[in-house]
Amino acid sequence: MPISDEAYAALEDIVGKENVSRNPAIMDGYAFQWLADLVRPNLSHFMPRPVAAVMPASTEEVQAVVRLANKYKLKVKPHGTGWYHWAAPINDEHDTMQLDMRRMNKMEIDEKNGIAIVEPYVIHAQLHAEAIKRGWTCTIIGAGCSCSVLAAACAFAGMGPAGFWMGGHSENLLGMEWVTPSGEIVRSGSFGSGAGYVCGEGPGPSVRGVMRGSIGQRGGLGVFTRCAVKLAHWPGRTDWPVTGTVPAYRLPIDETFRVYTLAMPSWDAWADAYHKIYDNEIGFIFHRQFNLAGADLAPAFWLMYTDPTKQLSDVPAILEEPGVAELTEEMRMSFQIVLAGRSKADIELQDQVLDDILAEVGGWKVERYCEKDMAEFTNLALNRLGHKHLNFVWAGGYLGSWMQAGPPDWVKGYVPTASAGLERDAKDGLLVQCGGDAMMGPGSAYPGGGNTCLEQFVSYDPADEASTRAGIKHMEDAITDAVSIGYPPGKEAAYLEMGHSDDRIFKDWAGAKQPFTFIFQRKFKEHVDPNDVGDRMYNYIPEEYEP
Amino acid sequence: MALEDFKADALRCTRCSYCKWIPFDLVKSHQFAKGCPSVDYNHFHSYSAGGRLVTMLSLMQGRSEVDDTVVDVAFKCQLCGNCDVACKVCRYDMEPLAALREFRRTLNEQGRVPEVYPKLIGNLREAGNFAGLPQADKATWADGLGLKRLGAGAKAPVLFHAGCRFSFDPTLRSAVRAAANVFTKAGVDFSIDPDEACCAGKAYDMGYRDDFTTAAAANLENWATAGITTIVTPCATCYSTFKRLYPDAAGPGADTPVPEILHTTQLADRLLKDGSLKPSKRVPLSVTYHDPCHLGRQGEDYEAWNGKEVKIYGQAVVYDPPRPRYIGANGVYDAPRDVLRAIPGVELVEMERSREGAWCCGAGGNVREAYPEFNAWTAGKRVEEAKSTGAEALVTACSGCEKNFAEAVATGGIDLEVLDVLELLERSL
Amino acid sequence: MTRDLVSLVGGTQVLDDRDVLASYASDESFVLSIKPRAVVRPGGEDEVHALVVWANRTGTPLVPVSSGAPHFYGDSVPSVPGAVMVDLSRMDKIIKVDSRNRIAVIEPGVTYRQLQPALAEEGLAIVPPLYPRANKSVVASLLERQPTLIPRYNYALTEPLRNCGVVWGNEQKFSTGESGNGVPDIETQWNAGRRLLEPKGPAQTDFFRLLTGAQGTLGIVTWASVRVQLIPDSRKTLFVSAPELDDLVDLSYRLTRLRLGDELLIVNAAYLTALLATDSAEAAVLRAALPAWTLVIGIGGRALRAGQRVAVTEQDIAGEVAARGLELQPALPGMTSSRVDAVLGGVAADPHWKLRAKGGVADIFFHTTLENAPGHLATMLRAAAAHEYPMADVGVYLQPQHQGVSYHMEFSLPYAPEDKADAAKARALYSAASRRLMAEGAAYFSRPYGEWADAVYNHDAAARDILRAVKKILDPNNILNPSKLCF
């Protein structure tokens, strides 16, 4: 149902005429989403259209908009940069207002204590740039530096390649400001007690415990309007001297840094290497990054990519060049690591420790990728994560499957099945054939080591219906494959969920091993969202579905 | 071309928002990270390149209709090309800038254009220039300089093409005269055309393709007749129009090929390096240089292409033959900087957003004429950035940029001199 | 009631002897002394569950406790009459230890005295709080977010707590963290290769965070997985001393920022004396000899090239120390580093080191940033002077947490509980100083014990609202440790 004129006029009063719209074309700008084609009827690239798009500039405006939603029975769906189909309205039956938070974009850094305070539209690139100037750095999420820090920290996941050393945003959170669906303002930790951003826990039981968990609310339960995260020390140059020609920008490697691509002889060795990296506490950034292009093609792909005169059609020729076939075999089980020393002695020790580890597990440094050009590119790519949209490079469509997190010994258990599955599903050419192993993942999904994960990068052409259907089939196959070897469904299940009816989803959650999780969340939702202005991105099961 | 030609791009857009920012590797601060003035000013996602692709898709699929908002979305954009550069950091299969131009052309064909456009194109059709000023005054800027003039039957290999704004705007006179004086001093044998025709690049951006093609064909014909083999222009827009848009207008294997196109900074750079120009007077000034969109990002060499999309490895999208990639890196960035560095006493300090990451001055895409507030805001942002470097002067190489910055500095009461590169060079000769 | 309880846990595990009940009725804090009705000692999760079911049916308050006495903060003293103490100390199994994944799974009755040697057999150790008593429950310490000694490993303030098995007050058996995604059975998950490492979730709630700082008001934890570290193969303890706290601030910031060192803590002479002195004579000697302020720096080398690691770390620390005009010392006047090592790595014997000086102690502690610490100290000393409490007796402990972003700051105020006047003075000072520190704004009382709760939850009414909503779901009949926090 269209938004009433009365409600719309009220929105104009709150945010200003120029900051609200209900024009159909503007609305489609919000309905259009990556992954929509995999879950919507007729492979549509459009999620449900919002009834209005609103851009508040302050917490007070957000609160007023949320209260308006309660009055006029509208749903509220905020987003930061708005990337992922669940950032959009999710249900055709709902009348949803999209809150585009881009006008809330302020940030500050407490240099002394290494704390950054951000509003929703501060992206990681901005935070990283400001931190570096001051000798700090920050974890950047796996989706890349184009994404909102706050959205990742408060409302989604928050982990990335630097998580082993710098933590994920959840571990780094020092305070959140949350406008609940009923329009109350809740601030977590010391922030709520008026004591600044020093501590994200408490008071007593941590209030932040209901604000986000292993994953956040993804816009489904109110609006986050500010948060504080802790930073990590940056022992490098503070002037960010990027060189090179787009897209092959490079960052010279400071003398107390090392940047390597390491290869392993087996998955057992890979798991051993990860444990040794954990135990020896090296690995400033530690990530299996380059393999996203597919183990058969990745080495050639990155050689192509780092030559600005080349393009994708050059990859086959590069594969034929002398040494590249051998390089491809060499790099089948490889990952990237950046070491950062606080002193010359420290980095020399780290280097020796790494050599010891390689000797113990039978791994080695991939010489070509450790040469200056590739190493400087790797240095920049991993530190700034500004090339993460290469997920889409092959054909414009990417979906991630698998990515179940667990100890390295557990994760390596699904690699063969995941690889065989992609190889099988790509056999008829409807998905990009890059080798079965196109898996990428952080060295550790938790600071200090422990769980890792590997995400399969599956490339399809969203402009091609048959290819899109093959992508959907792959996601369904990946669930079957995982369950068949005793693993839980992975990331693809979260994508597919968006296309399932409420009835199906509620039944799924009711059938979970621990349904009380969703019962608790329903009861909590009833308290903070009595008029149901949120959506099921905050997972719950209605009373009638309780087992 | 038609909207449908960009349907695949629209479907392959993944709403990543790279098009809103400068290439992320280049971001050095919170304040100077944005790349797209349109979405930064207008906010709604539709005002980004990705958002416009969505709007095109929405229209193609009949989900919405062209209304005033859609017209606003399509035309309230400088076509600065930042989106194109940023998108292409990761994507080999996308052509956002071309899509944005096609969007305009499509709406123009439906008669849906900003209010001021009919007047502007009317001026071109009637007066031969978009300002609607008497063509007879076109060469007034050169009065007293004793420059060779093209006349009936006269041949000259090098033509100095001032461009309409430099020709007519008295506030920009010193810049265009400085360029001519510099080349005269260097002994370059060149002429001006007292009946210089407009490059008509603005018509292309407005979507009046036929007007553009007609004007381009006429220019190419006239130049061929006059035996011109090199065009030198101080205007970045003319430069980019001639270099990148004229070859298509000329058509493949045309009898009237496009001459060598040089920007004044490129010629000056050559002359400095071959010793024809010897700057001797000190010009003690700290300056920051603004890369005009049409000289930098859109100043790359043109490469003809007539191919098709093919797939390898099942679904990987490539082109046969390989499609030229205009990545923005190979524009004219070094020549103006080398000229500035050659001037004794000049200290060059870079803005954070420079080269292919430069923020637009605001004037492009006919925004200056159609959306004056947006234009002024964009220029104001750039002037702010220039001021933040601590430089005493903002130097650039385009009439539109210079005009916009001069106005922004005056409006904002900002202590910053606005100069053309050649003006500064002239001071040192 | 006794009959009911006996049927649930067995006759020998129900205690209602008057002296026993009296021992649970009060602790070292100033909270009201209220006797429980009985003490029960369940042996496992099923018995805990049965107790919770029974408590809901009968409306009986339950107060969980895992550590032995002395208790200090009033959280395990009943705040209402007729409560039953649920003493979990019998549940003392070390269920799992995995050195490759550096995780252990333990029951709540496992103490530091029990756990550390068991871990040591595998070359492991859990990062402890400062000198815990031997009968201190590891799970209880972690649940109450007691600060731990190695800031580098304190990735979050909840570390090293990972997953928990819990019986909520509403009778639900539940597993938090990644264990909540699977079959709720440790063996099944372990056999499937899971190691209960990820603490977050499940879903959009960090259930384990609701348990931390909760003083047992929401659920009774029946097991927990805890992250452990390698024991250093090479170790050293060094010191930097200074006349003023201010002198150590910059260095401490730098060391935590660079992740230099293992144990890092700042103590004043009074606090350090309390830690080390075995009797009053030794205390007097130490008080006279020890410097006013000491930054204790532990250095550990683990895994490969341990010795080299220690050497390089020491070299880098020495550089930072020297750059600030300070001196890195291998010992302190009056004592050796090995004495301090025993504190850093050991468990404390009876009587508790905090109680040795005068028999009683009142602790004021909160979270702050280091730059504010000197200001808090000044506030505390002013309050002490105003209450005629000897300033020299105020023990001060600063523990960097969360990799240096925040500091646990603690003022330890020994007093003689048998001396009514002294006790009254301490009581008044405790309240007044707490109020002043709260009012300053930069001291965050993240663990609002006793009288702090009222002030904290009135100030942060939004938190109170949220937590009461949570309480209503997880313990609708308010049978778990009622009248604590804001419940």
Side-chain angles (χ1 to χ4, degrees):
Chain A
M1 206 156 64
I3 188 171
S4 70
D5 289 343
E6 188 184 298
Y8 191 80
L11 286 174
E12 287 181 324
D13 284 345
I14 295 168
V15 299
K17 274 184 147 68
E18 65 281 7
N19 297 311
V20 58
S21 174
R22 52 182 165 179
N23 176 279
I26 300 278
M27 293 307 97
D28 268 356
Y30 292 99
F32 179 94
Q33 273 293 350
W34 161 49
L35 295 175
D37 47 327
L38 300 173
V39 299
R40 293 290 285 161
N42 305 313
L43 308 181
S44 171
H45 286 245
F46 293 94
M47 298 296 286
R49 234 184 223 176
V51 298
V54 192
M55 295 186 295
S58 66
T59 303
E60 290 66 36
E61 288 186 9
V62 170
Q63 189 179 37
V65 169
V66 168
R67 286 182 170 151
L68 179 151
N70 277 273
K71 177 181 159 82
Y72 291 102
K73 310 267 182 287
L74 300 167
K75 295 273 191 198
V76 170
K77 195 60 185 285
H79 76 53
T81 57
W83 196 28
Y84 249 122
H85 49 348
W86 51 62
I90 63 170
N91 191 316
D92 293 288
E93 311 300 313
H94 296 165
D95 296 332
T96 306
M97 281 193 294
Q98 182 93 73
L99 265 59
D100 181 341
M101 302 301 292
R102 62 176 291 117
R103 292 177 67 223
M104 292 185 70
N105 62 4
K106 293 198 264 309
M107 65 166 283
E108 56 178 289
I109 290 182
D110 171 355
E111 259 180 82
K112 199 167 180 68
N113 294 292
I115 299 170
I117 302 112
V118 294
E119 288 190 338
Y121 205 72
V122 174
I123 63 170
H124 286 81
Q126 291 174 300
L127 172 57
H128 187 254
E130 290 292 340
I132 291 285
K133 280 198 285 202
R134 295 163 172 81
W136 291 100
T137 184
C138 65
T139 202
I140 300 181
I141 60 169
C145 70
S146 59
C147 300
S148 157
V149 177
L150 177 145
C154 304
F156 190 43
M159 178 47 74
F164 170 69
W165 185 257
M166 301 182 202
H169 285 314
S170 174
E171 292 77 52
N172 297 341
L173 264 172
L174 295 170
M176 295 181 267
E177 180 177 85
W178 177 38
V179 179
T180 71
S182 58
E184 300 299 319
I185 299 176
V186 181
R187 300 180 177 94
S188 62
S190 56
F191 187 20
S193 286
Y197 298 98
V198 60
C199 172
E201 306 300 330
S206 292
V207 170
R208 62 162 285 185
V210 289
M211 290 179 175
R212 69 151 289 167
S214 55
I215 200 169
Q217 308 158 2
R218 292 172 287 177
L221 195 74
V223 187
F224 289 99
T225 48
R226 196 184 330 174
C227 78
V229 291
K230 80 182 223 314
L231 303 172
H233 178 65
W234 170 253
R237 283 172 66 164
T238 57
D239 59 340
W240 199 245
V242 168
T243 64
T245 302
V246 65
Y249 294 121
R250 294 154 55 152
L251 181 67
I253 300 171
D254 290 314
E255 65 165 11
T256 61
F257 279 64
R258 301 288 186 270
V259 180
Y260 299 124
T261 288
L262 307 176
M264 298 292 131
S266 66
W267 286 104
D268 286 344
W270 169 86
D272 286 345
Y274 274 32
H275 276 290
K276 289 178 192 290
I277 291 170
Y278 298 160
D279 289 349
N280 284 282
E281 298 178 56
I282 60 175
F284 186 69
I285 300 175
F286 159 32
H287 193 63
R288 192 178 195 224
Q289 172 68 40
F290 292 152
N291 199 66
L292 69 89
D296 286 359
L297 302 178
F301 171 83
W302 294 104
L303 291 174
M304 179 281 301
Y305 186 73
T306 49
D307 181 347
T309 66
K310 296 222 174 337
Q311 53 181 290
L312 283 182
S313 50
D314 293 306
V315 171
I318 293 173
L319 270 171
E320 299 301 315
E321 284 175 11
V324 178
E326 291 79 1
L327 180 64
T328 302
E329 290 316 302
E330 185 189 354
M331 283 181 67
R332 281 205 178 275
M333 279 169 271
S334 59
F335 60 94
Q336 284 66 46
I337 192 165
V338 175
L339 308 181
R342 54 178 182 254
S343 66
K344 198 157 162 293
D346 182 34
I347 193 61
E348 282 169 4
L349 173 60
Q350 289 191 43
D351 237 347
Q352 289 170 331
V353 166
L354 180 61
D355 285 342
D356 291 344
I357 291 172
L358 293 174
E360 284 183 10
V361 304
W364 63 94
K365 293 169 185 166
V366 178
E367 204 180 307
R368 177 62 188 93
Y369 271 60
C370 297
E371 285 171 6
K372 190 167 191 279
D373 59 341
M374 292 307 295
E376 288 187 350
F377 169 71
T378 308
N379 190 31
L380 178 55
L382 287 182
N383 268 296
R384 179 52 67 87
L385 278 187
H387 298 256
K388 289 302 267 170
H389 203 50
L390 284 166
N391 296 5
F392 300 85
V393 72
W394 285 123
Y398 134 78
L399 62 94
S401 57
W402 295 86
M403 203 178 169
Q404 297 87 334
D409 293 324
W410 185 84
V411 169
K412 79 184 184 202
Y414 65 71
V415 169
T417 305
S419 301
L422 176 57
E423 193 126 22
R424 172 198 67 215
D425 290 341
K427 208 157 50 186
D428 53 9
L430 291 175
L431 300 173
V432 172
Q433 293 160 325
C434 53
D437 172 8
M439 291 192 279
M440 188 211 73
S444 173
Y446 195 84
N451 281 348
T452 181
C453 57
L454 286 173
E455 177 184 355
Q456 191 70 292
F457 273 53
V458 181
S459 302
Y460 70 98
D461 182 1
D464 182 317
E465 282 197 11
S467 182
T468 304
R469 291 193 197 286
I472 296 169
K473 178 162 187 310
H474 168 79
M475 288 201 287
E476 291 161 353
D477 287 348
I479 294 175
T480 310
D481 289 343
V483 171
S484 75
I485 56 169
Y487 283 78
K491 196 175 184 192
E492 69 286 337
Y495 290 175
L496 284 176
E497 232 178 59
M498 302 308 298
H500 297 161
S501 65
D502 281 353
D503 180 63
R504 177 171 168 178
I505 284 296
F506 293 150
K507 284 181 173 141
D508 281 347
W509 290 337
K513 298 287 186 289
Q514 202 163 248
F516 180 66
T517 301
F518 306 105
I519 296 169
F520 171 88
Q521 293 194 172
R522 182 194 77 241
K523 293 184 177 183
F524 182 70
K525 177 179 158 79
E526 283 166 357
H527 178 77
V528 295
D529 188 12
N531 293 321
D532 195 21
V533 304
D535 66 25
R536 70 168 206 228
M537 298 321 302
Y538 180 74
N539 305 159
Y540 67 94
I541 49 179
E543 205 167 337
E544 59 269 30
Y545 287 84
E546 274 189 44
Chain B
M1 285 227 129
L3 271 192
E4 288 288 333
D5 294 323
F6 293 95
K7 188 171 184 186
D9 280 41
L11 291 170
R12 289 172 184 152
C13 174
T14 58
R15 209 197 182 287
C16 69
S17 294
Y18 274 46
C19 53
K20 299 173 183 167
W21 308 87
I22 64 174
F24 291 117
D25 290 343
L26 304 180
V27 172
K28 287 195 169 187
S29 71
H30 172 260
Q31 188 181 4
F32 301 125
K34 304 276 178 66
C36 173
S38 184
V39 76
D40 206 28
Y41 183 76
N42 300 289
H43 294 304
F44 295 108
H45 179 67
S46 306
Y47 286 89
S48 64
R52 291 190 178 92
L53 283 170
V54 173
T55 309
M56 290 162 69
L57 185 67
S58 178
L59 293 171
M60 280 188 260
Q61 292 185 346
R63 290 175 57 97
S64 52
E65 287 169 359
V66 178
D67 57 16
D68 288 346
T69 301
V70 170
V71 172
D72 207 57
V73 163
F75 290 96
K76 211 164 172 183
C77 155
Q78 285 96 351
L79 296 176
C80 73
N82 171 84
C83 54
D84 206 74
V85 169
C87 179
K88 285 178 171 142
V89 169
C90 294
R91 299 292 298 270
Y92 290 86
D93 57 337
M94 301 284 285
E95 292 291 343
L97 187 58
L100 303 190
R101 288 194 158 124
E102 188 53 32
F103 191 15
R104 292 175 173 220
R105 194 191 64 77
T106 303
L107 294 186
N108 188 306
E109 280 182 353
Q110 297 171 19
R112 303 303 304 265
V113 293
E115 228 174 86
V116 75
Y117 275 24
K119 180 157 194 297
L120 291 171
I121 203 67
N123 286 342
L124 180 72
R125 289 170 185 164
E126 284 156 28
N129 61 78
F130 287 100
L133 294 169
Q135 190 64 6
D137 294 342
K138 202 75 191 280
T140 310
W141 68 269
D143 283 354
L145 296 183
L147 302 178
K148 257 198 222 171
R149 292 175 181 229
L150 273 188
K155 287 205 183 286
V158 179
L159 179 70
F160 184 97
H161 178 98
C164 296
R165 195 186 299 282
F166 271 130
S167 294
F168 287 123
D169 192 330
T171 66
L172 300 175
R173 196 123 301 162
S174 64
V176 63
R177 286 169 72 88
N181 285 340
V182 165
F183 298 140
T184 302
K185 273 206 171 113
V188 177
D189 180 15
F190 69 92
S191 305
I192 63 170
D193 184 350
D195 194 25
E196 179 189 285
C198 179
C199 69
K202 290 165 79 67
Y204 189 98
D205 285 349
M206 283 190 229
Y208 296 106
R209 291 296 168 84
D210 289 343
D211 289 86
F212 169 76
T213 310
T214 305
N219 272 330
L220 289 168
E221 177 88 38
N222 291 339
W223 293 338
T225 305
I228 290 162
T229 55
T230 300
I231 308 274
V232 180
T233 178
C235 174
T237 302
C238 297
Y239 174 83
S240 176
T241 302
F242 295 150
K243 209 161 164 80
R244 291 282 290 278
L245 302 179
Y246 270 38
D248 273 342
D255 290 333
T256 49
V258 181
E260 179 191 27
I261 308 296
L262 288 177
H263 188 266
T264 46
T265 54
Q266 289 178 298
L267 180 56
D269 183 44
R270 269 190 208 174
L271 297 168
L272 284 162
K273 283 172 178 156
D274 73 16
S276 305
L277 281 172
K278 290 183 176 38
S280 54
K281 292 193 209 146
R282 274 189 69 80
V283 184
L285 193 65
S286 61
V287 310
T288 189
Y289 174 72
H290 165 81
D291 291 286
C293 304
H294 291 146
L295 189 59
R297 279 190 284 266
Q298 298 183 42
E300 295 179 306
D301 286 347
Y302 171 82
E303 213 181 303
W305 183 75
N306 190 6
K308 60 184 192 315
E309 176 189 298
V310 297
K311 287 191 175 177
I312 58 173
Y313 303 126
Q315 292 293 317
V317 174
V318 298
Y319 302 91
D320 182 28
R323 190 170 70 180
R325 260 181 50 98
Y326 296 103
I327 56 176
N330 301 310
V332 180
Y333 298 114
D334 293 319
R337 286 173 169 81
D338 286 349
V339 171
L340 290 170
R341 286 191 194 105
I343 303 172
V346 164
E347 183 205 327
L348 174 60
V349 56
E350 295 279 7
M351 287 184 270
E352 282 183 21
R353 292 177 295 189
S354 62
R355 303 178 76 100
E356 68 269 17
W359 178 261
C360 180
C361 77
N366 304 291
V367 162
R368 185 179 158 81
E369 294 79 12
Y371 302 102
E373 277 178 23
F374 174 38
N375 170 60
W377 174 88
T378 307
K381 289 287 179 194
R382 189 54 162 172
V383 160
E384 217 175 273
E385 186 174 0
K387 191 74 187 147
S388 77
T389 63
E392 295 163 285
L394 169 53
V395 183
T396 186
C398 171
S399 59
C401 300
E402 281 158 37
K403 185 69 178 175
N404 257 22
F405 291 149
E407 285 177 352
V409 157
T411 309
I414 295 164
D415 182 18
L416 199 59
E417 200 179 351
V418 177
L419 294 165
D420 186 276
V421 174
L422 276 284
E423 266 182 291
L424 208 47
L425 179 59
E426 190 193 28
R427 288 186 194 178
S428 76
L429 297 173
Chain C
M1 175 193 276
T2 310
R3 220 180 13 251
D4 284 348
L5 294 173
V6 166
S7 75
L8 296 175
V9 297
T12 51
Q13 307 308 336
V14 180
L15 311 170
D16 57 7
D17 173 81
R18 210 161 53 173
D19 289 339
V20 168
L21 297 182
S23 73
Y24 285 91
S26 63
D27 69 4
E28 305 303 323
S29 73
F30 297 121
V31 301
L32 283 177
S33 173
I34 299 183
K35 279 193 290 298
R37 174 73 176 74
V39 178
V40 295
R41 298 194 304 202
E45 183 196 58
D46 289 342
E47 290 185 0
V48 170
H49 182 253
L51 283 165
V52 171
V53 170
W54 171 83
N56 273 294
R57 205 180 70 234
T58 59
T60 308
L62 300 178
V63 180
V65 63
S66 303
S67 308
H71 301 277
F72 289 90
Y73 307 130
D75 49 322
S76 52
V77 173
S79 296
V80 296
V84 170
M85 302 301 302
V86 180
D87 183 335
L88 300 161
S89 57
R90 265 184 72 215
M91 292 173 63
D92 62 357
K93 278 199 284 300
I94 298 173
I95 303 169
K96 298 281 183 198
V97 176
D98 179 343
S99 57
R100 181 162 164 91
N101 288 287
R102 285 196 271 121
I103 195 86
V105 184
I106 58 177
E107 289 189 328
V110 173
T111 61
Y112 284 99
R113 171 178 49 196
Q114 182 191 353
L115 182 60
Q116 296 287 39
L119 292 175
E121 285 174 20
E122 305 279 334
L124 303 167
I126 190 167
V127 182
L130 178 57
Y131 215 20
R133 59 188 187 276
N135 60 10
K136 180 70 189 176
S137 152
V138 175
V139 171
S141 174
L142 298 178
L143 286 175
E144 285 305 300
R145 296 199 300 266
Q146 272 199 301
T148 54
L149 290 178
I150 304 181
R152 189 168 93 248
Y153 292 143
N154 197 239
Y155 318 115
L157 290 170
T158 49
E159 280 291 304
L161 182 67
R162 297 299 174 94
N163 291 199
C164 298
V166 60
V167 178
W168 298 115
N170 66 5
E171 303 169 25
Q172 284 282 338
K173 289 188 199 175
F174 196 83
S175 302
T176 72
E178 65 166 89
S179 65
N181 293 321
V183 170
D185 172 66
I186 296 170
E187 279 310 313
T188 307
Q189 300 216 10
W190 207 264
N191 292 338
R194 310 296 307 173
R195 288 296 179 267
L196 316 184
L197 286 157
E198 171 58 66
K200 304 194 287 287
Q204 286 84 15
T205 305
D206 268 351
F207 288 95
F208 87 112
R209 283 197 149 89
L210 299 178
L211 289 166
T212 65
Q215 299 177 33
T217 55
L218 299 175
I220 300 179
V221 172
T222 55
W223 61 264
S225 63
V226 294
R227 180 71 160 168
V228 294
Q229 304 295 341
L230 300 176
I231 290 179
D233 295 314
S234 181
R235 227 196 138 275
K236 210 167 205 188
T237 306
L238 298 167
F239 309 91
V240 177
S241 39
E244 301 290 339
L245 172 58
D246 262 314
D247 301 330
L248 298 173
V249 163
D250 196 56
L251 176 62
S252 193
Y253 264 121
R254 188 69 178 162
L255 296 182
T256 53
R257 180 167 175 164
L258 297 184
R259 310 236 186 124
L260 278 165
D262 280 15
E263 296 87 355
L264 283 175
L265 58 153
I266 299 175
V267 282
N268 71 348
Y271 204 96
L272 192 50
T273 299
L275 276 168
L276 299 173
T278 48
D279 56 42
S280 53
E282 189 180 17
V285 169
L286 284 172
R287 280 308 307 273
L290 286 173
W293 293 92
T294 302
L295 170 61
V296 178
I297 305 171
I299 303 175
R302 295 168 176 75
L304 295 164
R305 298 182 184 254
Q308 234 178 300
R309 175 84 61 161
V310 169
V312 167
T313 305
E314 183 178 352
Q315 183 184 315
D316 286 345
I317 291 174
E320 299 295 338
V321 171
R324 287 159 181 81
L326 297 165
E327 205 187 314
L328 192 59
Q329 301 153 302
L332 287 174
M335 43 73 64
T336 61
S337 69
S338 59
R339 289 288 305 281
V340 174
D341 284 348
V343 164
L344 297 180
V347 292
D350 285 334
H352 195 283
W353 50 274
K354 285 195 175 205
L355 304 176
R356 283 185 201 157
K358 293 189 179 174
V361 73
D363 286 341
I364 302 175
F365 49 86
F366 47 86
H367 259 86
T368 190
T369 50
L370 180 58
E371 62 191 333
N372 288 312
H376 297 318
L377 175 64
T379 300
M380 183 70 234
L381 294 179
R382 270 198 304 275
H387 283 81
E388 293 174 353
Y389 182 94
M391 287 198 271
D393 280 3
V394 176
V396 186
Y397 163 42
L398 273 158
Q399 179 60 62
Q401 289 289 270
H402 210 181
Q403 297 181 325
V405 161
S406 65
Y407 279 67
H408 163 94
M409 185 165 201
E410 180 178 312
F411 299 116
S412 202
L413 310 171
Y415 68 95
E418 307 304 322
D419 179 337
K420 280 206 169 81
D422 203 40
K425 185 197 300 183
R427 175 88 196 251
L429 173 59
Y430 171 85
S431 296
S434 298
R435 270 197 311 275
R436 284 195 206 186
L437 288 161
M438 269 189 212
E440 270 173 1
Y444 172 52
F445 284 72
S446 63
R447 300 152 63 197
Y449 295 110
E451 66 184 68
W452 296 338
D454 207 48
V456 166
Y457 291 113
N458 273 310
H459 187 103
D460 191 356
R464 184 180 63 199
D465 173 69
I466 294 292
L467 292 175
R468 282 181 177 170
V470 169
K471 173 76 164 173
K472 208 151 163 256
I473 302 167
L474 296 177
D475 183 25
N477 296 324
N478 197 10
I479 51 114
L480 289 181
N481 211 356
S483 291
K484 294 290 193 299
L485 299 165
C486 53
F487 304 136

